[in-house]
Short mmCIF file of all heavy atoms in Angstrom, two decimals:
data_model
loop_
_atom_site.label_atom_id
_atom_site.label_comp_id
_atom_site.label_asym_id
_atom_site.label_seq_id
_atom_site.Cartn_x
_atom_site.Cartn_y
_atom_site.Cartn_z
N GLN N 1401 128.21 85.43 123.32
CA GLN N 1401 129.16 84.26 123.39
C GLN N 1401 129.63 83.78 122.11
O GLN N 1401 130.69 83.23 121.91
CB GLN N 1401 128.44 83.14 124.27
CG GLN N 1401 128.25 83.63 125.63
CD GLN N 1401 127.47 82.46 126.41
OE1 GLN N 1401 126.75 81.69 125.83
NE2 GLN N 1401 127.50 82.59 127.72
N LYS N 1402 128.72 83.93 120.97
CA LYS N 1402 129.02 83.46 119.79
C LYS N 1402 129.77 84.53 118.88
O LYS N 1402 130.20 84.11 117.75
CB LYS N 1402 127.84 83.00 119.06
CG LYS N 1402 127.12 81.80 119.74
CD LYS N 1402 125.98 81.46 118.93
CE LYS N 1402 125.15 80.21 119.65
NZ LYS N 1402 123.89 79.90 119.05
N GLY N 1403 129.97 85.72 119.48
CA GLY N 1403 130.64 86.72 118.77
C GLY N 1403 129.68 87.52 117.84
O GLY N 1403 130.23 88.48 117.27
N GLY N 1404 128.52 87.29 117.66
CA GLY N 1404 127.58 88.02 116.90
C GLY N 1404 126.72 88.92 117.67
O GLY N 1404 126.76 88.85 118.86
N VAL N 1405 126.08 89.74 116.98
CA VAL N 1405 125.15 90.80 117.67
C VAL N 1405 123.77 90.30 117.38
O VAL N 1405 123.39 90.05 116.30
CB VAL N 1405 125.32 92.19 117.02
CG1 VAL N 1405 124.37 93.08 117.71
CG2 VAL N 1405 126.78 92.72 117.29
N PRO N 1406 122.94 90.20 118.47
CA PRO N 1406 121.49 89.65 118.21
C PRO N 1406 120.75 90.54 117.32
O PRO N 1406 120.99 91.82 117.31
CB PRO N 1406 120.98 89.75 119.72
CG PRO N 1406 122.17 89.66 120.67
CD PRO N 1406 123.18 90.33 119.81
N GLU N 1407 119.73 90.13 116.61
CA GLU N 1407 119.02 90.96 115.70
C GLU N 1407 118.33 92.11 116.30
O GLU N 1407 118.31 93.23 115.60
CB GLU N 1407 118.02 90.07 114.89
CG GLU N 1407 118.54 89.29 113.89
CD GLU N 1407 119.30 90.10 112.72
OE1 GLU N 1407 118.76 91.12 112.30
OE2 GLU N 1407 120.30 89.68 112.45
N ASP N 1408 117.79 91.99 117.62
CA ASP N 1408 117.27 93.17 118.17
C ASP N 1408 118.11 94.33 118.48
O ASP N 1408 117.77 95.45 118.39
CB ASP N 1408 116.34 92.79 119.47
CG ASP N 1408 117.19 92.15 120.49
OD1 ASP N 1408 118.21 91.46 120.10
OD2 ASP N 1408 116.74 92.23 121.63
N ILE N 1409 119.32 93.92 118.90
CA ILE N 1409 120.30 94.82 119.17
C ILE N 1409 120.91 95.49 117.86
O ILE N 1409 120.98 96.73 117.73
CB ILE N 1409 121.51 94.30 119.96
CG1 ILE N 1409 120.93 93.75 121.35
CG2 ILE N 1409 122.62 95.24 120.17
CD1 ILE N 1409 120.23 94.73 122.16
N ARG N 1410 120.99 94.69 116.84
CA ARG N 1410 121.43 95.32 115.50
C ARG N 1410 120.52 96.30 115.00
O ARG N 1410 120.82 97.18 114.48
CB ARG N 1410 121.69 94.09 114.60
CG ARG N 1410 121.94 94.50 113.13
CD ARG N 1410 123.38 94.90 112.93
NE ARG N 1410 124.17 93.81 113.10
CZ ARG N 1410 125.52 93.85 113.48
NH1 ARG N 1410 125.94 95.14 113.62
NH2 ARG N 1410 126.18 92.86 113.72
N ALA N 1411 119.11 95.96 115.15
CA ALA N 1411 118.16 96.84 114.76
C ALA N 1411 118.29 98.27 115.33
O ALA N 1411 118.15 99.31 114.83
CB ALA N 1411 116.75 96.34 114.92
N GLU N 1412 118.49 98.26 116.69
CA GLU N 1412 118.71 99.43 117.46
C GLU N 1412 119.84 100.24 117.17
O GLU N 1412 120.04 101.48 116.94
CB GLU N 1412 118.72 99.27 118.98
CG GLU N 1412 117.51 98.60 119.59
CD GLU N 1412 116.28 99.64 119.52
OE1 GLU N 1412 116.60 100.81 119.71
OE2 GLU N 1412 115.15 99.15 119.22
N GLN N 1413 120.95 99.51 116.81
CA GLN N 1413 122.25 100.02 116.33
C GLN N 1413 122.14 100.82 115.05
O GLN N 1413 122.63 101.76 114.74
CB GLN N 1413 123.36 99.07 116.38
CG GLN N 1413 123.81 98.70 117.86
CD GLN N 1413 124.84 97.69 117.89
OE1 GLN N 1413 125.11 96.74 117.00
NE2 GLN N 1413 125.47 97.37 119.03
N ASP N 1414 121.36 100.13 114.23
CA ASP N 1414 121.17 100.72 112.84
C ASP N 1414 120.37 101.99 113.02
O ASP N 1414 120.68 102.95 112.19
CB ASP N 1414 120.34 99.72 111.85
CG ASP N 1414 121.20 98.54 111.51
OD1 ASP N 1414 122.39 98.58 111.62
OD2 ASP N 1414 120.60 97.53 111.03
N GLN N 1415 119.37 102.17 113.84
CA GLN N 1415 118.65 103.39 114.09
C GLN N 1415 119.65 104.42 114.58
O GLN N 1415 119.63 105.55 114.21
CB GLN N 1415 117.52 103.15 115.10
CG GLN N 1415 116.39 102.23 114.53
CD GLN N 1415 115.75 102.98 113.45
OE1 GLN N 1415 115.38 104.13 113.47
NE2 GLN N 1415 115.23 102.21 112.47
N ILE N 1416 120.54 104.06 115.52
CA ILE N 1416 121.43 105.04 115.97
C ILE N 1416 122.42 105.47 114.84
O ILE N 1416 122.73 106.62 114.81
CB ILE N 1416 122.15 104.58 117.25
CG1 ILE N 1416 121.31 104.32 118.28
CG2 ILE N 1416 123.41 105.20 117.66
CD1 ILE N 1416 121.69 103.43 119.60
N LYS N 1417 122.91 104.61 114.01
CA LYS N 1417 123.78 104.91 112.89
C LYS N 1417 123.11 105.99 111.99
O LYS N 1417 123.62 106.86 111.53
CB LYS N 1417 124.11 103.75 112.16
CG LYS N 1417 125.12 102.71 112.84
CD LYS N 1417 125.34 101.65 111.79
CE LYS N 1417 126.08 100.54 112.48
NZ LYS N 1417 126.23 99.36 111.68
N TRP N 1418 121.82 105.76 111.93
CA TRP N 1418 120.89 106.60 111.03
C TRP N 1418 120.76 108.08 111.56
O TRP N 1418 120.81 108.92 110.76
CB TRP N 1418 119.56 106.01 110.73
CG TRP N 1418 118.67 106.91 110.02
CD1 TRP N 1418 118.45 107.03 108.67
CD2 TRP N 1418 117.62 107.69 110.56
NE1 TRP N 1418 117.48 107.93 108.38
CE2 TRP N 1418 116.92 108.34 109.50
CE3 TRP N 1418 117.23 107.87 111.92
CZ2 TRP N 1418 115.91 109.23 109.76
CZ3 TRP N 1418 116.19 108.78 112.11
CH2 TRP N 1418 115.55 109.50 111.04
N ALA N 1419 120.55 108.07 112.85
CA ALA N 1419 120.25 109.37 113.58
C ALA N 1419 121.46 110.30 113.68
O ALA N 1419 122.49 109.84 113.86
CB ALA N 1419 119.64 108.99 115.00
N ASP N 1420 121.20 111.63 113.66
CA ASP N 1420 122.16 112.57 113.90
C ASP N 1420 122.20 112.89 115.52
O ASP N 1420 123.27 113.16 116.13
CB ASP N 1420 121.91 114.02 113.28
CG ASP N 1420 122.00 113.83 111.79
OD1 ASP N 1420 122.75 113.10 111.27
OD2 ASP N 1420 121.18 114.47 111.08
N THR N 1421 121.08 112.88 116.11
CA THR N 1421 120.84 113.03 117.55
C THR N 1421 120.03 112.00 118.17
O THR N 1421 119.11 111.64 117.58
CB THR N 1421 120.25 114.50 117.77
OG1 THR N 1421 120.97 115.43 117.09
CG2 THR N 1421 120.20 114.86 119.23
N VAL N 1422 120.56 111.57 119.35
CA VAL N 1422 119.72 110.55 120.11
C VAL N 1422 119.42 111.23 121.38
O VAL N 1422 120.17 111.86 122.14
CB VAL N 1422 120.62 109.41 120.43
CG1 VAL N 1422 119.88 108.27 121.23
CG2 VAL N 1422 121.06 108.74 119.14
N PHE N 1423 118.09 111.20 121.69
CA PHE N 1423 117.49 111.76 122.96
C PHE N 1423 117.17 110.76 123.97
O PHE N 1423 116.74 109.70 123.59
CB PHE N 1423 116.14 112.48 122.60
CG PHE N 1423 116.27 113.75 121.88
CD1 PHE N 1423 116.34 113.76 120.47
CD2 PHE N 1423 116.39 114.96 122.47
CE1 PHE N 1423 116.67 114.83 119.66
CE2 PHE N 1423 116.49 116.17 121.73
CZ PHE N 1423 116.61 115.99 120.37
N PHE N 1424 117.57 111.06 125.20
CA PHE N 1424 117.12 110.07 126.21
C PHE N 1424 116.49 110.94 127.20
O PHE N 1424 116.70 111.89 127.78
CB PHE N 1424 118.51 109.60 127.01
CG PHE N 1424 119.24 108.61 126.25
CD1 PHE N 1424 120.37 109.18 125.50
CD2 PHE N 1424 118.92 107.30 126.13
CE1 PHE N 1424 121.06 108.24 124.71
CE2 PHE N 1424 119.75 106.41 125.30
CZ PHE N 1424 120.83 106.86 124.68
N VAL N 1425 115.24 110.60 127.48
CA VAL N 1425 114.18 111.24 128.30
C VAL N 1425 113.82 110.15 129.43
O VAL N 1425 113.24 109.16 129.05
CB VAL N 1425 113.04 111.76 127.67
CG1 VAL N 1425 112.11 112.52 128.66
CG2 VAL N 1425 113.39 112.72 126.52
N PHE N 1426 114.15 110.47 130.67
CA PHE N 1426 113.79 109.47 131.72
C PHE N 1426 113.75 110.24 133.07
O PHE N 1426 114.26 111.17 133.37
CB PHE N 1426 114.86 108.32 131.75
CG PHE N 1426 116.25 108.73 131.94
CD1 PHE N 1426 116.75 108.96 133.25
CD2 PHE N 1426 117.00 109.07 130.87
CE1 PHE N 1426 118.01 109.35 133.56
CE2 PHE N 1426 118.32 109.51 131.09
CZ PHE N 1426 118.86 109.62 132.42
N PRO N 1427 113.12 109.50 133.98
CA PRO N 1427 112.90 110.03 135.39
C PRO N 1427 114.18 109.59 136.33
O PRO N 1427 114.64 108.56 135.88
CB PRO N 1427 111.64 109.48 135.88
CG PRO N 1427 111.60 108.10 135.25
CD PRO N 1427 112.12 108.33 133.89
N THR N 1428 114.45 110.34 137.25
CA THR N 1428 115.43 109.79 138.29
C THR N 1428 114.83 108.71 139.01
O THR N 1428 113.71 108.88 139.52
CB THR N 1428 115.89 110.81 139.19
OG1 THR N 1428 116.50 112.05 138.36
CG2 THR N 1428 116.93 110.39 140.08
N TRP N 1429 115.48 107.61 139.08
CA TRP N 1429 114.98 106.42 139.79
C TRP N 1429 116.00 105.95 140.72
O TRP N 1429 117.01 105.44 140.35
CB TRP N 1429 114.61 105.37 138.83
CG TRP N 1429 113.76 104.19 139.44
CD1 TRP N 1429 114.34 102.97 139.80
CD2 TRP N 1429 112.42 104.29 139.73
NE1 TRP N 1429 113.35 102.25 140.28
CE2 TRP N 1429 112.20 102.92 140.32
CE3 TRP N 1429 111.40 105.09 139.70
CZ2 TRP N 1429 110.91 102.56 140.71
CZ3 TRP N 1429 110.14 104.79 140.11
CH2 TRP N 1429 109.95 103.46 140.61
N TRP N 1430 115.81 106.23 142.13
CA TRP N 1430 116.77 105.84 143.16
C TRP N 1430 118.17 106.42 142.80
O TRP N 1430 119.08 105.74 142.70
CB TRP N 1430 116.80 104.32 143.32
CG TRP N 1430 115.64 103.75 143.92
CD1 TRP N 1430 114.64 103.24 143.25
CD2 TRP N 1430 115.18 103.83 145.32
NE1 TRP N 1430 113.57 102.92 144.13
CE2 TRP N 1430 114.00 103.19 145.46
CE3 TRP N 1430 115.78 104.28 146.47
CZ2 TRP N 1430 113.34 102.99 146.60
CZ3 TRP N 1430 115.15 104.21 147.53
CH2 TRP N 1430 113.96 103.49 147.67
N GLU N 1431 118.10 107.68 142.54
CA GLU N 1431 119.31 108.55 142.11
C GLU N 1431 120.08 108.15 140.92
O GLU N 1431 121.31 108.32 140.72
CB GLU N 1431 120.24 108.46 143.24
CG GLU N 1431 119.66 108.98 144.66
CD GLU N 1431 120.63 108.92 145.75
OE1 GLU N 1431 121.82 108.66 145.62
OE2 GLU N 1431 120.10 109.33 147.04
N ASN N 1432 119.34 107.42 139.96
CA ASN N 1432 119.91 106.97 138.72
C ASN N 1432 118.88 106.81 137.73
O ASN N 1432 117.75 107.11 137.83
CB ASN N 1432 120.70 105.74 138.91
CG ASN N 1432 121.89 105.60 137.98
OD1 ASN N 1432 121.95 106.10 136.99
ND2 ASN N 1432 122.89 104.82 138.43
N MET N 1433 119.35 106.42 136.50
CA MET N 1433 118.36 106.14 135.43
C MET N 1433 117.61 104.79 135.75
O MET N 1433 118.27 103.98 136.46
CB MET N 1433 119.12 106.01 134.10
CG MET N 1433 120.07 105.02 133.93
SD MET N 1433 120.96 104.89 132.37
CE MET N 1433 122.04 106.32 132.60
N PRO N 1434 116.46 104.56 135.17
CA PRO N 1434 115.82 103.21 135.35
C PRO N 1434 116.59 102.12 134.77
O PRO N 1434 117.33 102.27 133.87
CB PRO N 1434 114.57 103.52 134.58
CG PRO N 1434 114.29 104.83 134.53
CD PRO N 1434 115.67 105.52 134.32
N ALA N 1435 116.53 101.05 135.46
CA ALA N 1435 117.30 99.80 135.09
C ALA N 1435 117.11 99.40 133.69
O ALA N 1435 118.04 98.98 133.01
CB ALA N 1435 116.95 98.63 136.04
N MET N 1436 115.93 99.57 133.18
CA MET N 1436 115.63 99.19 131.71
C MET N 1436 116.51 100.01 130.68
O MET N 1436 117.02 99.54 129.77
CB MET N 1436 114.16 99.34 131.34
CG MET N 1436 113.41 98.03 131.55
SD MET N 1436 111.70 98.41 131.05
CE MET N 1436 111.66 97.32 129.60
N LEU N 1437 116.59 101.38 131.02
CA LEU N 1437 117.44 102.15 130.23
C LEU N 1437 118.85 101.87 130.36
O LEU N 1437 119.66 101.80 129.37
CB LEU N 1437 117.21 103.69 130.62
CG LEU N 1437 117.98 104.62 129.76
CD1 LEU N 1437 117.86 104.54 128.34
CD2 LEU N 1437 117.75 106.08 130.21
N ARG N 1438 119.34 101.46 131.70
CA ARG N 1438 120.75 101.16 131.78
C ARG N 1438 121.01 99.87 131.03
O ARG N 1438 122.04 99.71 130.37
CB ARG N 1438 120.99 100.99 133.29
CG ARG N 1438 122.35 100.33 133.59
CD ARG N 1438 123.36 101.38 133.14
NE ARG N 1438 124.66 100.91 133.25
CZ ARG N 1438 125.64 101.18 134.06
NH1 ARG N 1438 125.43 102.12 135.00
NH2 ARG N 1438 126.79 100.65 134.04
N GLY N 1439 120.12 98.90 131.01
CA GLY N 1439 120.28 97.68 130.33
C GLY N 1439 120.45 97.96 128.76
O GLY N 1439 121.19 97.37 128.12
N TYR N 1440 119.58 98.85 128.35
CA TYR N 1440 119.52 99.15 126.93
C TYR N 1440 120.89 99.77 126.47
O TYR N 1440 121.51 99.48 125.56
CB TYR N 1440 118.36 100.18 126.64
CG TYR N 1440 118.29 100.75 125.22
CD1 TYR N 1440 117.56 100.07 124.34
CD2 TYR N 1440 119.05 101.93 124.79
CE1 TYR N 1440 117.53 100.53 122.97
CE2 TYR N 1440 119.11 102.36 123.62
CZ TYR N 1440 118.27 101.76 122.67
OH TYR N 1440 118.18 102.23 121.29
N ILE N 1441 121.41 100.85 127.39
CA ILE N 1441 122.58 101.47 126.95
C ILE N 1441 123.75 100.34 127.09
O ILE N 1441 124.65 100.36 126.19
CB ILE N 1441 122.96 102.49 128.05
CG1 ILE N 1441 121.91 103.70 127.70
CG2 ILE N 1441 124.43 102.99 127.92
CD1 ILE N 1441 121.94 104.72 128.73
N ASP N 1442 123.75 99.50 128.02
CA ASP N 1442 124.84 98.48 128.14
C ASP N 1442 124.86 97.49 126.99
O ASP N 1442 125.92 97.11 126.56
CB ASP N 1442 124.72 97.63 129.49
CG ASP N 1442 125.05 98.45 130.64
OD1 ASP N 1442 125.59 99.57 130.55
OD2 ASP N 1442 124.74 97.93 131.73
N ARG N 1443 123.63 97.22 126.37
CA ARG N 1443 123.65 96.27 125.31
C ARG N 1443 123.82 96.91 124.04
O ARG N 1443 124.44 96.30 123.12
CB ARG N 1443 122.25 95.59 125.26
CG ARG N 1443 122.00 94.57 126.42
CD ARG N 1443 120.82 93.76 126.50
NE ARG N 1443 120.96 92.76 125.46
CZ ARG N 1443 119.94 92.23 124.77
NH1 ARG N 1443 118.70 92.42 125.06
NH2 ARG N 1443 120.26 91.35 123.81
N VAL N 1444 123.25 98.07 123.82
CA VAL N 1444 123.30 98.68 122.47
C VAL N 1444 124.53 99.56 122.27
O VAL N 1444 125.16 99.38 121.12
CB VAL N 1444 122.04 99.63 122.19
CG1 VAL N 1444 122.19 100.38 120.93
CG2 VAL N 1444 120.69 98.82 122.34
N PHE N 1445 124.96 100.15 123.16
CA PHE N 1445 126.22 100.94 122.98
C PHE N 1445 127.38 100.19 123.50
O PHE N 1445 128.17 100.56 124.33
CB PHE N 1445 126.12 102.36 123.91
CG PHE N 1445 125.17 103.19 123.22
CD1 PHE N 1445 123.82 103.14 123.64
CD2 PHE N 1445 125.52 104.16 122.25
CE1 PHE N 1445 122.84 104.01 123.09
CE2 PHE N 1445 124.66 105.02 121.86
CZ PHE N 1445 123.23 104.98 122.24
N SER N 1446 127.65 99.05 122.77
CA SER N 1446 128.65 98.06 123.25
C SER N 1446 129.91 98.29 122.53
O SER N 1446 130.15 99.06 121.55
CB SER N 1446 128.11 96.74 122.91
OG SER N 1446 127.76 96.56 121.55
N ALA N 1447 130.89 97.61 123.02
CA ALA N 1447 132.37 97.56 122.38
C ALA N 1447 132.20 97.07 120.95
O ALA N 1447 131.50 96.20 120.72
CB ALA N 1447 133.21 96.80 123.16
N GLY N 1448 132.95 97.82 120.06
CA GLY N 1448 132.83 97.45 118.74
C GLY N 1448 131.77 98.17 117.87
O GLY N 1448 131.92 98.42 116.64
N PHE N 1449 130.77 98.85 118.56
CA PHE N 1449 129.84 99.67 117.99
C PHE N 1449 130.08 100.99 118.41
O PHE N 1449 130.16 101.95 117.71
CB PHE N 1449 128.39 99.21 118.32
CG PHE N 1449 127.38 100.12 117.84
CD1 PHE N 1449 127.16 100.34 116.39
CD2 PHE N 1449 126.71 101.06 118.76
CE1 PHE N 1449 126.22 101.26 116.05
CE2 PHE N 1449 125.81 101.90 118.37
CZ PHE N 1449 125.52 102.13 116.97
N ALA N 1450 129.98 101.40 119.72
CA ALA N 1450 130.15 102.69 120.24
C ALA N 1450 131.46 103.03 120.66
O ALA N 1450 131.86 104.27 120.57
CB ALA N 1450 129.13 102.82 121.39
N TYR N 1451 132.23 102.18 120.92
CA TYR N 1451 133.78 102.33 121.25
C TYR N 1451 134.64 101.24 121.04
O TYR N 1451 134.14 100.09 120.77
CB TYR N 1451 133.87 102.81 122.74
CG TYR N 1451 133.40 101.82 123.63
CD1 TYR N 1451 134.31 100.85 124.11
CD2 TYR N 1451 132.18 101.62 124.00
CE1 TYR N 1451 133.82 99.82 125.17
CE2 TYR N 1451 131.65 100.59 124.90
CZ TYR N 1451 132.60 99.66 125.34
OH TYR N 1451 132.18 98.71 126.25
N THR N 1452 135.93 101.37 121.00
CA THR N 1452 136.95 100.42 120.94
C THR N 1452 138.06 100.75 121.84
O THR N 1452 138.14 101.94 122.25
CB THR N 1452 137.39 100.06 119.50
OG1 THR N 1452 138.10 99.00 119.48
CG2 THR N 1452 138.16 101.36 118.88
N TYR N 1453 138.88 99.72 122.19
CA TYR N 1453 140.09 100.04 122.88
C TYR N 1453 141.40 100.08 122.11
O TYR N 1453 141.42 99.13 121.25
CB TYR N 1453 140.21 99.03 124.00
CG TYR N 1453 139.11 99.13 125.08
CD1 TYR N 1453 138.01 98.38 125.25
CD2 TYR N 1453 139.26 100.18 126.00
CE1 TYR N 1453 137.11 98.46 126.18
CE2 TYR N 1453 138.30 100.34 127.10
CZ TYR N 1453 137.15 99.44 127.22
OH TYR N 1453 136.30 99.63 128.11
N THR N 1454 142.19 100.93 122.46
CA THR N 1454 143.49 101.00 121.79
C THR N 1454 144.53 101.05 122.87
O THR N 1454 144.32 100.99 124.05
CB THR N 1454 143.72 102.29 120.91
OG1 THR N 1454 143.66 103.44 121.70
CG2 THR N 1454 142.50 102.39 119.84
N ASP N 1455 145.78 101.06 122.34
CA ASP N 1455 146.87 101.06 123.50
C ASP N 1455 146.78 102.35 124.23
O ASP N 1455 147.33 102.45 125.38
CB ASP N 1455 148.22 101.10 122.76
CG ASP N 1455 148.64 99.55 122.19
OD1 ASP N 1455 147.89 98.57 122.67
OD2 ASP N 1455 149.32 99.46 121.25
N ASN N 1456 146.26 103.39 123.66
CA ASN N 1456 146.08 104.57 124.32
C ASN N 1456 144.78 104.84 125.13
O ASN N 1456 144.46 105.94 125.59
CB ASN N 1456 146.17 105.79 123.39
CG ASN N 1456 147.52 105.83 122.67
OD1 ASN N 1456 148.60 105.53 123.37
ND2 ASN N 1456 147.55 106.23 121.41
N GLY N 1457 144.05 103.87 125.22
CA GLY N 1457 142.74 103.92 125.94
C GLY N 1457 141.62 103.76 125.05
O GLY N 1457 141.63 103.38 123.85
N PRO N 1458 140.30 104.00 125.58
CA PRO N 1458 139.09 103.72 124.64
C PRO N 1458 139.06 104.88 123.66
O PRO N 1458 139.47 106.10 123.92
CB PRO N 1458 138.04 103.92 125.73
CG PRO N 1458 138.67 104.64 126.91
CD PRO N 1458 140.00 104.29 126.91
N VAL N 1459 138.45 104.64 122.50
CA VAL N 1459 138.18 105.61 121.45
C VAL N 1459 136.59 105.50 121.00
O VAL N 1459 136.18 104.30 120.68
CB VAL N 1459 139.07 105.34 120.16
CG1 VAL N 1459 138.82 106.11 119.11
CG2 VAL N 1459 140.58 105.39 120.62
N GLY N 1460 135.97 106.50 121.02
CA GLY N 1460 134.63 106.59 120.56
C GLY N 1460 134.49 106.34 119.04
O GLY N 1460 135.31 106.69 118.29
N LEU N 1461 133.46 105.49 118.64
CA LEU N 1461 133.25 105.33 117.26
C LEU N 1461 131.99 105.96 116.70
O LEU N 1461 131.59 105.73 115.51
CB LEU N 1461 133.05 103.66 117.12
CG LEU N 1461 134.33 102.83 117.61
CD1 LEU N 1461 133.96 101.40 117.39
CD2 LEU N 1461 135.47 103.20 116.78
N LEU N 1462 131.31 106.75 117.45
CA LEU N 1462 130.10 107.39 116.94
C LEU N 1462 130.35 108.91 116.63
O LEU N 1462 129.60 109.69 117.08
CB LEU N 1462 129.09 107.22 118.02
CG LEU N 1462 128.59 105.84 118.20
CD1 LEU N 1462 127.59 105.74 119.33
CD2 LEU N 1462 127.99 105.10 116.85
N LYS N 1463 131.37 109.10 115.94
CA LYS N 1463 131.69 110.49 115.56
C LYS N 1463 130.67 111.24 114.86
O LYS N 1463 130.03 110.79 113.98
CB LYS N 1463 132.96 110.49 114.72
CG LYS N 1463 134.21 109.80 115.26
CD LYS N 1463 134.88 110.55 116.45
CE LYS N 1463 136.17 109.92 116.83
NZ LYS N 1463 136.31 109.75 118.18
N GLY N 1464 130.45 112.51 115.20
CA GLY N 1464 129.47 113.30 114.59
C GLY N 1464 128.10 113.11 115.11
O GLY N 1464 127.11 113.76 114.71
N LYS N 1465 127.81 112.28 116.09
CA LYS N 1465 126.52 112.01 116.74
C LYS N 1465 126.43 113.00 117.98
O LYS N 1465 127.44 113.28 118.53
CB LYS N 1465 126.49 110.62 117.13
CG LYS N 1465 126.57 109.61 116.15
CD LYS N 1465 125.39 109.57 115.17
CE LYS N 1465 125.55 108.45 114.06
NZ LYS N 1465 124.52 108.60 113.11
N LYS N 1466 125.21 113.35 118.32
CA LYS N 1466 124.98 114.04 119.49
C LYS N 1466 123.92 113.42 120.36
O LYS N 1466 123.00 112.78 119.83
CB LYS N 1466 124.43 115.49 119.03
CG LYS N 1466 124.32 116.35 120.34
CD LYS N 1466 123.76 117.79 120.04
CE LYS N 1466 123.75 118.24 118.60
NZ LYS N 1466 123.05 119.58 118.49
N ALA N 1467 124.15 113.30 121.65
CA ALA N 1467 123.17 112.88 122.57
C ALA N 1467 122.70 113.85 123.50
O ALA N 1467 123.43 114.71 124.02
CB ALA N 1467 123.73 111.66 123.41
N ILE N 1468 121.37 113.95 123.70
CA ILE N 1468 120.73 114.82 124.64
C ILE N 1468 120.04 114.14 125.58
O ILE N 1468 119.24 113.23 125.43
CB ILE N 1468 119.79 115.81 123.89
CG1 ILE N 1468 120.54 116.61 122.78
CG2 ILE N 1468 119.00 116.80 124.77
CD1 ILE N 1468 119.78 117.52 121.95
N VAL N 1469 120.34 114.52 126.84
CA VAL N 1469 119.70 113.79 128.08
C VAL N 1469 118.78 114.77 128.66
O VAL N 1469 119.21 115.81 129.09
CB VAL N 1469 120.76 113.20 129.07
CG1 VAL N 1469 120.11 112.63 130.27
CG2 VAL N 1469 121.76 112.30 128.37
N PHE N 1470 117.61 114.31 129.00
CA PHE N 1470 116.59 115.11 129.68
C PHE N 1470 116.13 114.22 130.90
O PHE N 1470 115.37 113.22 130.68
CB PHE N 1470 115.44 115.51 128.86
CG PHE N 1470 114.36 116.38 129.44
CD1 PHE N 1470 114.63 117.67 129.48
CD2 PHE N 1470 113.21 115.90 129.96
CE1 PHE N 1470 113.71 118.59 130.12
CE2 PHE N 1470 112.33 116.65 130.66
CZ PHE N 1470 112.55 118.07 130.60
N GLN N 1471 116.63 114.52 132.02
CA GLN N 1471 116.41 113.72 133.32
C GLN N 1471 115.42 114.54 134.27
O GLN N 1471 115.86 115.50 134.72
CB GLN N 1471 117.70 113.29 133.88
CG GLN N 1471 117.48 112.38 135.09
CD GLN N 1471 118.87 111.85 135.63
OE1 GLN N 1471 119.96 112.40 135.19
NE2 GLN N 1471 118.85 111.08 136.53
N THR N 1472 114.32 113.95 134.54
CA THR N 1472 113.36 114.61 135.42
C THR N 1472 113.80 114.22 136.84
O THR N 1472 114.11 113.10 137.16
CB THR N 1472 111.93 114.37 135.11
OG1 THR N 1472 111.77 112.94 135.21
CG2 THR N 1472 111.57 114.65 133.71
N THR N 1473 113.35 115.15 137.73
CA THR N 1473 113.57 114.88 139.21
C THR N 1473 112.57 115.44 139.98
O THR N 1473 111.68 116.29 139.48
CB THR N 1473 114.86 115.55 139.74
OG1 THR N 1473 114.86 116.93 139.51
CG2 THR N 1473 116.11 115.05 138.92
N GLY N 1474 112.36 115.01 141.15
CA GLY N 1474 111.45 115.66 142.14
C GLY N 1474 110.06 115.36 141.86
O GLY N 1474 109.06 115.87 142.54
#
């Protein structure tokens, strides 16, 4: 609401800026990722950090990064 990024979120974003690859390892929970992980992604990979909007649509800002998802089931 104040336009700033909370310190805990800024610390996570700094770690992602530093990393070449980000791994997500989680179980399938009711056909989706756990709510805690969803909340983390929503807060950390926010507009202005992970993407921005232009007249042509959204543009990613994490160029050169790789994400690997390992989702367990069954």
Side-chain angles (χ1 to χ4, degrees):
Q1401 292 175 341
K1402 296 178 184 177
V1405 178
E1407 281 301 313
D1408 60 333
I1409 301 302
R1410 173 77 64 206
E1412 293 296 320
Q1413 290 175 343
D1414 288 344
Q1415 292 294 321
I1416 292 166
K1417 286 179 192 176
W1418 171 85
D1420 295 325
T1421 305
V1422 179
F1423 289 84
F1424 294 96
V1425 181
F1426 58 90
T1428 300
W1429 189 258
W1430 292 97
E1431 300 179 9
N1432 208 334
M1433 66 183 72
M1436 268 183 111
L1437 178 58
R1438 177 59 192 255
Y1440 176 88
I1441 290 171
D1442 286 348
R1443 291 186 72 201
V1444 175
F1445 291 88
S1446 56
F1449 172 71
Y1451 62 93
T1452 190
Y1453 288 104
T1454 67
D1455 292 338
N1456 296 324
V1459 175
L1461 300 176
L1462 298 174
K1463 304 286 188 225
K1465 305 286 183 191
K1466 187 181 346 180
I1468 296 176
V1469 176
F1470 186 84
Q1471 182 177 5
T1472 61
T1473 60

